[in-house]
Amino acid sequence: DFTVPQGTFTVELDALKAPRAVANFIGLADGTQTWRDPVTGEVRGGAAAGAFYDGLPFYSMTDGFALLGGLRPYVGSDGKEYWEGPGYTILDETTNGVDMARGVLAMAEFTGPHSGGGELALLLTNAPSLGSGWTGFGAVTGAGMAVVQAVVNAVTGGSGRVAAQIAIRSGAMTPEENAALAAARADLPVVEEMPLGFRRESNVTARATFGSAPRSRACL
C-alpha cells in the first residue's frame, strides 16, 4: 500500500515471476535489506535499522509514460542535488513474461542491463519496448491508477516531488511464493562496511581505495 497526500493505492506483487525484484523491494521497504547511505556512506538496514524507502519520493516523469520514484536525494559538495540508489544493483528479470503495460510497477534500468536496484517506475501507458530492460514485478489494483494520476499531476504541475509511505501486507501467500522469495532474499547483495586503503603514487598523487568482496552472484 502506497500512501501519498492524494490518497492510497495498492500494488499486488508477483513473487513467482519476479522473485528477486520483489524480495529487493520488500527488503528496502521494511528495512530488512542492507543499503548504503549516499550522504554518510554508512551501512543501513538489516541489523543497523532504517528502511531505504522510508518517505520514498516520486519525483519525475519519463517521456510521459512512467512515473519515477525511489531514489534518495542528497546535496553534493558542489551544492547541486543528486539522486542515489541503495549502493548496489540486482540482476534483471526481463524475460519473466510480465508485459510492460499501464499500471505495472517496474524496476527501472539506470545505465543499462542489470543496473537497477532502487528506482521504481509506475507505467502510465503500454510500453512494450521497455520489456528488454525494465523488470515488471507488480501491478496497481482496483481504482488505484486514479490516485497515481493525481500524483503525476502534482509532480508535473506542483512542487515536483511527492512523498509516499509503504506498508507491506503478505496475505494469501502460497508455499511456492514463500519459497521463491526466500531463495531470492538469500541471493541479494549484502552491503557491508568497507576497509579503506591509501597509497601515495608520487609526490603529488595519492590514491584512496575501498572495496568489499562480493557475497553473492547478484553483487555486480
Side-chain angles (χ1 to χ4, degrees):
D1 299 317
F2 289 75
T3 299
V4 293
Q6 293 76 16
T8 297
F9 63 92
T10 298
V11 173
E12 184 175 355
L13 305 176
D14 195 331
L16 291 181
K17 290 185 176 180
R20 185 182 297 112
V22 170
N24 183 66
F25 171 80
I26 292 175
L28 293 178
D30 67 11
T32 56
Q33 171 65 13
T34 54
W35 54 281
R36 192 173 306 282
D37 191 300
V39 177
T40 66
E42 296 176 335
V43 174
R44 300 184 61 186
F52 181 78
Y53 285 147
D54 185 24
L56 167 151
F58 288 105
Y59 40 71
S60 67
M61 295 278 291
T62 297
D63 297 331
F65 61 76
L67 174 67
L68 298 179
L71 299 183
R72 295 181 71 92
Y74 69 98
V75 177
S77 58
D78 57 3
K80 297 179 180 179
E81 186 177 61
Y82 296 92
W83 299 81
E84 188 60 68
Y88 62 85
T89 63
I90 63 174
L91 297 175
D92 296 336
E93 295 167 292
T94 56
T95 59
N96 62 7
V98 176
D99 294 331
M100 293 292 101
R102 175 177 167 82
V104 164
L105 176 65
M107 182 67 67
E109 276 192 334
F110 197 64
T111 56
H114 313 301
S115 62
E119 188 165 39
L120 305 174
L122 277 165
L123 298 191
L124 307 174
T125 185
N126 297 343
S129 62
L130 295 178
S132 62
W134 292 22
T135 296
F137 64 96
V140 177
T141 63
M145 286 304 291
V147 179
V148 172
Q149 186 59 54
V151 175
V152 170
N153 296 341
V155 168
T156 58
S159 65
R161 192 174 304 173
V162 173
Q165 291 293 336
I166 302 175
I168 303 295
R169 290 187 285 131
S170 57
M173 291 284 288
T174 67
E176 292 79 11
E177 289 171 329
N178 283 320
L181 280 181
R185 287 191 183 101
D187 197 40
L188 289 177
V190 177
V191 180
E192 61 184 12
E193 298 292 348
M194 297 185 292
L196 181 68
F198 180 86
R199 71 174 187 272
R200 184 167 294 281
E201 297 183 337
S202 71
N203 62 345
V204 294
T205 305
R207 182 181 300 273
T209 60
F210 57 93
S212 178
R215 292 292 188 88
S216 74
R217 67 183 181 86
C219 182
L220 304 180

